[in-house]
Amino acid sequence: MNFDRNTVIGFIVLAILFFGYFYYNNKEQGVYLAEKKKQDELKRVQDSTKRAQDSIANYKNSPTLTTVAPVVRTAADSAGFQLALDGNETTTPVSTDLLTIHFTNKGGQIKAVELNKFNNPDSSPVKMAATDFDKITYNISAGPNRSAAIDQVFFALTEKKETPDSTIISYSTRSSEGQEIVHRFVVKPNNYMIDFTIQINGVQQVLGANVLNLTWQNSAVQQQKDLEYERGQSKVGYFFDGDFDDHIAAGGGSKEFDAKVNWVAVKQQFFNATLLAKEGFSSGNVIWSAPTDNSQLVVKATANMQVPVQGTGSATIPLGLYFGPNDYSTLKQYNNDMEDMVDLGSGIFAFVKYINRFIVLPAFNFFDKFTNNYGIVILMLTLLIRLVIS
C-alpha cells in the first residue's frame, strides 16, 4: 500500500493526539492512585480510633449509668421560632420533562432530585441530593439565647402554583414575634436550573447580623458501573474571583475564598450539582472528602458561604441550584461559565479545547440530531475527521 504525504501527516497527527490523551489521563490516574493509598492508611487509623470511641460510648450509655431528667418547659420554649421546631415531615413532588423534584417542609428545601432522561446501570433514574447528608442550612435566632439550624425548622407550604412557564413552590415559617422566613422555588420546563430565593422579614432579629452564613452539603453517589474510575473522574469546581478552577476529588481537600464566588459545584463523571449565588458569595470555603471503601459514595463536599444582607428589615437572597448533565451546550446557556467544568483540554493540551469547542462539539451535535445512538454519532464524527485530515 502506498501512502501519500497527506495520509502520513494525518496518521502522525492522530498518533500525537492519542498519545497526548493517554498521557494526560494516566497522569490524573497516577495522582488518584497515590491519594488512594494515603487515604487507605488514614482509614485504618481512623477505624481503630472509632472502635475505641465506640467502646467508651457504649460504657457510658449502659443502663447502670442512665438517668432521666424531668422535662421543664418555660415561656422561652414558645418564643421565637421554637414552636416551629416540632412538626411532621411532608413532601411535595414537582415533575417536568427533565426533572422530578421532591420538596420537604422540614427546612423548606429540596429532599431529592431525579433526572428523568438518564438511568443508572440498574435502569433506575439517576438520583441526586437524595441522601441524609444533602441539605442547605443556616443558623437563625430561635429564641432568647437560642439558635437553630434552618434544616430543623418545619415550614408551612403556602403556595404551589403551576403555569405553562413554571411551577412555584413556597414555604414559610413565622416566629411568635412576627418575623418570617420564606423559601421560594421556581421550576421551569426543559431546564435543569432551579431558582431558589430566601426572603427574610426581620433580618436583625432572625440572623443577628447583616450576613447569611449558608452551608451547602452535597454527596455524589455512584452512577456508573466502575466506581473506582468514577471516583477518579470526579472533581470539585468553582468560579472564584473571576476565574474557574477545579480539583480532583480523590484524596479530599479544601479551598478558602476571600473574594467573590459565583458558584460551587460537585462534578461527577457525567453529572454535576451546583449552588449559585446570583449576586455572588462574598467569601467562604469548601471542604471535600472521597472514601476509598466499597460504599457507593463518590465524594462528599461541604461549602460554607457568606452572603451579604443589606438593611435590617427585609431582605431577598436570590440563589440557584443546578442538577443535571455535564453537557457543554446545556451549561453554556446559563452564561455563568459553568461550561468550563466540561474538560475539553487542559495543561499542555489546552490548545485542543478550542478544536473541541469550535469543531468537534458542533459536528457531534449536528450528527446527534439524526440518531440517538452515540456509537453511530462517534463513527460519523471519526469518518469526518479522517476525511478532513486526508
Side-chain angles (χ1 to χ4, degrees):
M1 179 182 295
N2 294 324
F3 295 95
D4 59 23
R5 184 178 63 178
N6 289 336
T7 302
V8 172
I9 292 174
F11 278 115
I12 292 174
V13 171
L14 282 175
I16 292 173
L17 291 175
F18 277 117
F19 172 78
Y21 170 78
F22 287 118
Y23 172 81
Y24 177 73
N25 188 59
N26 288 336
K27 183 178 179 182
E28 283 197 342
Q29 290 296 312
V31 173
Y32 165 66
L33 292 174
E35 290 292 343
K36 181 177 182 297
K37 182 177 180 182
K38 182 176 70 175
Q39 290 297 316
D40 287 341
E41 183 63 28
L42 178 61
K43 184 177 183 299
R44 283 193 290 270
V45 175
Q46 291 174 337
D47 287 343
S48 298
T49 304
K50 185 177 185 302
R51 284 193 295 270
Q53 292 173 341
D54 289 343
S55 298
I56 296 173
N58 290 335
Y59 173 74
K60 289 182 177 180
N61 293 328
S62 62
T64 57
L65 298 177
T66 300
T67 59
V68 178
V71 177
V72 179
R73 295 190 178 276
T74 66
D77 292 330
S78 60
F81 291 91
Q82 288 296 312
L83 294 179
L85 297 176
D86 295 323
N88 297 315
E89 183 175 14
T90 59
T91 59
T92 301
V94 172
S95 293
T96 68
D97 289 341
L98 302 181
L99 301 174
T100 297
I101 308 159
H102 300 272
F103 295 95
T104 174
N105 67 324
K106 188 176 183 181
Q109 59 185 279
I110 294 171
K111 188 176 181 68
V113 177
E114 297 179 9
L115 306 188
N116 298 334
K117 299 290 187 180
F118 301 94
N119 290 332
N120 284 314
D122 62 0
S123 298
S124 64
V126 169
K127 290 185 178 181
M128 305 181 73
T131 73
D132 292 337
F133 178 79
D134 295 88
K135 63 183 178 181
I136 287 179
T137 190
Y138 54 91
N139 284 339
I140 62 171
S141 177
N145 300 318
R146 299 185 183 187
S147 64
I150 200 67
D151 62 289
Q152 299 301 312
V153 174
F154 286 90
F155 285 66
L157 178 63
T158 55
E159 182 182 20
K160 183 180 180 182
K161 180 180 179 181
E162 299 183 15
T163 70
D165 298 326
S166 66
T167 298
I168 299 173
I169 297 289
S170 291
Y171 289 99
S172 69
T173 184
R174 284 179 176 271
S175 70
S176 58
E177 293 79 21
Q179 290 84 38
E180 184 179 26
I181 303 172
V182 177
H183 288 181
R184 186 174 186 267
F185 300 88
V186 179
V187 182
K188 300 175 183 177
N190 299 314
N191 201 320
Y192 290 102
M193 185 73 72
I194 304 167
D195 292 331
F196 172 37
T197 303
I198 300 174
Q199 298 172 342
I200 300 175
N201 180 19
V203 171
Q204 283 296 326
Q205 294 89 342
V206 173
L207 300 179
N210 288 105
V211 61
L212 177 71
N213 293 298
L214 188 78
T215 296
W216 177 57
Q217 295 182 186
N218 181 263
S219 61
V221 298
Q222 181 182 0
Q223 309 287 4
Q224 309 304 316
K225 287 185 177 180
D226 191 336
L227 175 60
E228 292 302 312
Y229 185 76
E230 186 175 6
R231 285 174 172 171
Q233 295 298 308
S234 297
K235 298 181 178 181
V236 173
Y238 45 82
F239 198 83
F240 165 54
D241 199 19
D243 197 14
F244 166 76
D245 198 4
D246 61 11
H247 304 272
I248 296 175
S254 64
K255 174 66 179 180
E256 294 288 334
F257 305 118
D258 57 2
K260 183 179 179 180
V261 181
N262 295 79
W263 49 262
V264 181
V266 177
K267 172 183 171 291
Q268 294 177 251
Q269 187 174 357
F270 295 114
F271 309 99
N272 82 79
T274 303
L275 170 69
L276 308 94
K278 296 183 180 180
E279 296 177 359
F281 299 109
S282 60
S283 59
N285 65 63
V286 59
I287 305 169
W288 64 93
S289 61
T292 57
D293 55 19
N294 293 326
S295 69
Q296 293 184 319
L297 188 61
V298 176
V299 57
K300 293 172 65 174
T302 299
N304 302 295
M305 311 304 295
Q306 283 74 54
V307 185
V309 179
Q310 301 298 326
T312 59
S314 299
T316 300
I317 303 164
L319 306 169
L321 291 160
Y322 176 90
F323 299 101
N326 297 324
D327 180 76
Y328 184 87
S329 299
T330 300
L331 296 172
K332 187 173 176 58
Q333 68 176 311
Y334 299 113
N335 298 316
N336 56 17
D337 298 286
M338 288 173 60
E339 70 273 12
D340 288 342
M341 283 189 281
V342 181
D343 191 358
L344 301 179
S346 58
I348 62 173
F349 301 103
F351 70 94
V352 177
K353 69 180 179 182
Y354 300 105
I355 299 175
N356 288 330
R357 181 177 300 178
F358 298 112
I359 299 177
V360 176
L361 277 177
F364 185 94
N365 292 332
F366 174 76
F367 292 134
D368 187 38
K369 296 178 181 178
F370 301 99
T371 177
N372 292 324
N373 190 318
Y374 278 0
I376 296 177
V377 173
I378 293 173
L379 175 61
M380 297 171 68
L381 184 62
T382 303
L383 292 175
L384 175 63
I385 293 174
R386 283 292 294 123
L387 179 63
V388 171
I389 292 176
S390 298

